[in-house]
Amino acid sequence: MAAPGPGPAPPRLALALALLAALAAVKYYRDAEAARQQELALKSLGNEGLFLFSSLDTNKDLYLSPEEFKPIAEKLTGVAPDSESEEEEAPDPDGETLSIVAKFQPLVMETMTKSKDGFLGISHVALSGLRNWTAPAAPMSVLLARQFKAFLPPKNNLDLGDPWWIIPSELNIFTGYLSNNRFYPPPPKGKEVIIHKLLSMFHPRPFVKTRFAPQGAVACIQASSSFYYTIAFRIHAEFQLNEPPNFPFWFSPGQFTGYIVLSKDSSHVRDFRLFVPNNRSLNVDMEWLYGASESSNMEVDIGYLPQMELESTGPSIPTVIHDENGNIIDSRDPSGEPIQFVFEDITWQQEIPWEEAAHRLEVAMYPFKKISYLPFTEAFERAQAEKKLVHSILLWGALDDQSCSGRTLRETVLESSPILTLLNESFISSWSLVKELEELQSNKENEFYSKLAELHLEKYNFPVEMILCLPNGTVVHHINANYFLDITSMKPEDVESSIFSFSTNFEDPSTATYLQFLKEGLHRAKPYLQP
Ligand SMILES: *[C@@H]1O[C@H](CO)[C@@H](O)[C@H](O)[C@H]1NC(C)=O
Ligand SMILES: *[C@@H]1O[C@H](CO)[C@@H](O)[C@H](O)[C@H]1NC(C)=O
Ligand SMILES: *[C@@H]1O[C@H](CO)[C@@H](O)[C@H](O)[C@H]1NC(C)=O
Ligand SMILES: *[C@@H]1O[C@H](CO)[C@@H](O)[C@H](O)[C@H]1NC(C)=O
């Protein structure tokens, strides 16, 4: 059989090539035009002026619409027009209202890494929004029970624990992440309104959609009775603490979680609680800019927030009370005491443990959690029992919250199914914070644990190290996340050129490299793990 020689391209391929060439020409023209406009804008505003302008120009068309100008108008005039969402929620005389209190203890500044050198080299204004945030914006708020219908399941036939999205994520591998250069949250829409309102009790500038994945809010039914649900939820949101002329400062708690007990018609809320978990030593990621460029002038740090919590003061109650004859009566009795309401007990017909509901929400946010990540010492005990390797991730900030260091890793390789399968079969997985292992190492009560921590820390390099080791702690292989991302990163130009090359091999290079890493570890460990 003759080898296929170079001939004219088949008609379909020729057409595709012509189309691609035309698209490339249009794209080139648009890019050149955008660059010219950008240059003119820079000329009239200067670097920092353009930076501020861009932070308001959310659709990046180089024009400010009235909507985009609104936050600045409000700041200068001090007048906030009633928002549309408020108008939609016409007061309902028959509805119930719920009182919610906010509890807040500010970030413990000493827990920030940069406090070690006395915040040396950090301009005072960069941290002003953080230092100034010492109390909740609204310690108490009265909301309509009906507004909480956003927490109801989308349909009736969901099983307990089946997650659904209250606010779906709009980020994916192609959209990347949202701009750091923003000060004012976009107006919330639909179900975002209630969540925005609740988070506004802590700080006036909550962003209900985080800049980085996984963003959004997810919920599941934890318990159900004839008339009520207990809904567990998990929200990824963040706050912008600075305002112009300062540069942006992002404050991102690991997560907001909580539950609501509400009637299936959402007319009555029995109980509500929302909080940032505070049982890990660090629970907030902070990122701030110190210059008018969002890519190069960025500082990061992590810290501990002791309390950020919302709680209902009691069940929701009617705003207006009717007596037996339908007459409106005062909600205080003649002696001025508020009328006491009696609520029937709820008998749950079906429920799952809170831990299980929380785990289902966690897996919805982080598919890599389909396999379990055990606490450090437990992982080694399990590995000894099962004669398996320990797959351990050592990070500066937490892997399963919004902290930056683990972000890229967990969004790509750790969620891919070949990796999940291999980890599930042949490894015991764990992740730890550097800070936690340093504490374990210096605690001499258990020498074995202290040694395990020491062997780990010896191999650690900032910000994330992936480590494979024998059950006794000897490291057989390790790779630094930055190095890993460098060797596997696909630049946008490469992605485009690979379309032109009509490549059919779309295997993700990072998955392939990570598989290779795990297999090399297994290979090196083979002599030791033979029964
Ligand atoms: C500090 O907080 C107060 C009230 O909470 C506010 O009026 C003031 O503008 C804030 N200052 C800064 C620098 O953010
Ligand atoms: C933190 O508390 C939650 C439940 O409130 C629990 O599931 C989790 O294991 C705790 N984490 C740590 C590190 O103690
Ligand atoms: C892990 O392995 C167990 C047992 O073989 C299996 O039941 C489970 O579905 C696996 N999980 C994943 C995420 O592959
Ligand atoms: C762990 O076990 C391997 C093989 O049995 C041995 O070579 C290594 O020295 C041990 N490491 C420690 C820290 O005991």
Side-chain angles (χ1 to χ4, degrees):
M1 208 177 96
R12 223 189 265 209
L13 180 58
L15 180 62
L17 284 170
L19 261 176
L20 282 172
L23 285 175
V26 170
K27 182 171 183 307
Y28 173 79
Y29 171 76
R30 278 225 216 101
D31 290 352
E33 180 59 19
R36 200 182 62 85
Q37 298 242 356
Q38 193 77 15
E39 212 161 284
L40 282 176
L42 185 63
K43 213 179 248 174
S44 34
L45 291 173
N47 210 7
E48 305 209 345
L50 180 58
F51 182 78
L52 174 56
F53 183 88
S54 311
S55 81
L56 300 168
D57 180 21
T58 47
N59 62 359
K60 302 285 169 228
D61 65 352
L62 283 177
Y63 289 92
L64 284 192
S65 67
E67 190 61 38
E68 289 169 337
F69 184 67
K70 203 167 115 187
I72 292 296
E74 281 177 26
K75 197 170 151 65
L76 296 180
T77 61
V79 180
D82 288 339
S83 69
E84 283 166 45
S85 54
E86 228 96 40
E87 282 165 27
E88 280 168 23
E89 281 299 338
D92 170 8
D94 293 328
E96 299 193 351
T97 56
L98 185 73
S99 299
I100 290 188
V101 291
K103 297 175 187 168
F104 176 84
Q105 290 175 47
L107 188 99
V108 180
M109 295 298 284
E110 297 74 46
T111 57
M112 286 174 73
T113 315
K114 302 216 155 56
S115 72
K116 289 207 182 94
D117 56 13
F119 296 103
L120 202 70
I122 296 175
S123 109
H124 188 71
V125 292
L127 300 179
S128 63
L130 176 65
R131 289 193 199 277
N132 199 25
W133 189 18
T134 53
M140 160 110 182
S141 194
V142 178
L143 296 157
L144 296 174
R146 202 156 38 84
Q147 291 185 289
F148 288 86
K149 67 172 182 285
F151 287 94
L152 284 176
K155 47 183 191 286
N156 296 327
N157 55 354
L158 282 181
D159 281 332
L160 269 60
D162 282 353
W164 73 88
W165 293 88
I166 302 175
I167 302 179
S169 173
E170 282 170 3
L171 294 180
N172 60 47
I173 189 156
F174 299 109
T175 53
Y177 60 90
L178 301 178
S179 169
N180 292 312
N181 178 20
R182 288 174 303 156
F183 291 98
Y184 302 103
K189 297 190 189 76
K191 294 182 179 176
E192 295 168 11
V193 172
I194 180 70
I195 291 175
H196 182 269
K197 202 170 264 187
L198 290 166
L199 297 179
S200 298
M201 290 181 70
F202 297 119
H203 191 277
R205 290 182 298 281
F207 285 66
V208 297
K209 286 201 168 123
T210 48
R211 291 159 300 147
F212 297 94
Q215 61 166 212
V218 65
C220 70
I221 303 171
Q222 192 223 322
S224 148
S225 78
S226 314
F227 297 107
Y228 290 93
Y229 284 129
T230 300
I231 308 282
F233 56 82
R234 174 172 179 139
I235 300 165
H236 287 181
E238 54 194 346
F239 299 97
Q240 174 53 252
L241 303 194
N242 281 351
E243 275 193 284
N246 295 342
F247 291 114
F249 185 109
W250 293 94
F251 186 92
S252 316
Q255 59 160 302
F256 299 84
T257 185
Y259 60 86
I260 180 169
V261 180
L262 86 170
S263 65
K264 291 182 174 177
D265 65 0
S266 85
S267 62
H268 179 63
V269 176
R270 182 60 66 88
D271 194 9
F272 177 82
R273 189 163 174 249
L274 175 155
F275 62 98
V276 173
N278 60 1
N279 62 352
R280 279 200 98 104
S281 58
L282 298 163
N283 58 359
V284 179
D285 177 43
M286 286 160 280
E287 292 175 315
W288 63 94
L289 299 176
Y290 55 88
S293 156
E294 42 169 330
S295 49
S296 52
N297 302 323
M298 178 93 121
E299 286 267 20
V300 299
D301 209 337
I302 42 187
Y304 180 69
L305 179 75
Q307 189 180 37
M308 186 182 262
E309 195 174 332
L310 298 179
E311 214 169 12
S312 54
T313 56
S316 63
I317 50 170
T319 34
V320 174
I321 306 160
H322 299 272
D323 67 13
E324 313 76 272
N325 306 321
N327 301 318
I328 292 175
I329 57 171
D330 204 327
S331 66
R332 292 178 183 273
D333 68 16
S335 63
E337 289 296 308
I339 288 185
Q340 295 295 316
F341 289 91
V342 179
F343 299 97
E344 84 277 14
D345 286 336
I346 301 173
T347 314
W348 298 112
Q349 277 135 13
Q350 283 184 295
E351 60 186 311
I352 56 173
W354 167 257
E355 290 71 26
E356 187 182 334
H359 182 66
R360 296 289 295 268
L361 298 179
E362 187 174 33
V363 170
M365 285 284 191
Y366 300 108
F368 79 84
K369 289 264 179 160
K370 280 180 194 150
I371 58 162
S372 35
Y373 279 73
L374 300 179
F376 187 74
T377 54
E378 205 179 303
F380 281 93
E381 272 155 26
R382 183 81 72 84
Q384 272 162 12
E386 297 186 15
K387 288 206 168 17
K388 283 185 175 176
L389 275 188
V390 175
H391 164 248
S392 170
I393 300 177
L394 184 51
L395 330 90
W396 182 62
L399 183 66
D400 64 352
D401 67 21
Q402 284 305 81
S403 314
C404 57
S405 4
R407 212 180 265 153
T408 326
L409 196 61
R410 77 184 178 216
E411 273 157 35
T412 53
V413 296
L414 296 178
E415 295 183 352
S416 83
S417 73
I419 303 285
L420 283 174
T421 305
L422 185 59
L423 287 176
N424 192 33
E425 266 170 20
S426 310
F427 293 85
I428 304 295
S429 291
S430 172
W431 68 262
S432 331
L433 294 177
V434 171
K435 194 165 188 270
E436 291 169 349
L437 290 202
E438 282 170 352
E439 279 158 20
L440 191 64
Q441 185 186 7
S442 59
N443 179 355
K444 297 293 175 199
E445 265 167 42
N446 187 322
E447 271 182 46
F448 177 59
Y449 289 165
S450 165
K451 182 74 186 164
L452 289 178
E454 181 191 324
L455 290 170
H456 248 62
L457 289 166
E458 272 173 10
K459 305 292 186 203
Y460 176 76
N461 280 299
F462 180 83
V464 181
E465 194 80 28
M466 286 84 89
I467 298 173
L468 305 179
C469 49
L470 301 178
N472 68 4
T474 292
V475 174
V476 292
H477 202 15
H478 64 104
I479 188 169
N480 181 266
N482 281 351
Y483 173 70
F484 174 79
L485 294 174
D486 281 349
I487 59 172
T488 57
S489 69
M490 232 174 148
K491 296 189 188 66
E493 343 24 313
D494 300 342
V495 176
E496 243 168 74
S497 70
S498 75
I499 295 171
F500 278 98
S501 72
F502 286 92
S503 157
T504 50
N505 182 4
F506 271 101
E507 187 172 321
D508 166 22
S510 47
T511 300
T513 309
Y514 209 74
L515 269 181
Q516 189 55 40
F517 166 66
L518 294 176
K519 285 182 179 162
E520 176 63 23
L522 285 173
H523 176 72
R524 292 186 192 177
K526 216 175 200 168
Y528 308 115
L529 290 179
Q530 296 299 350

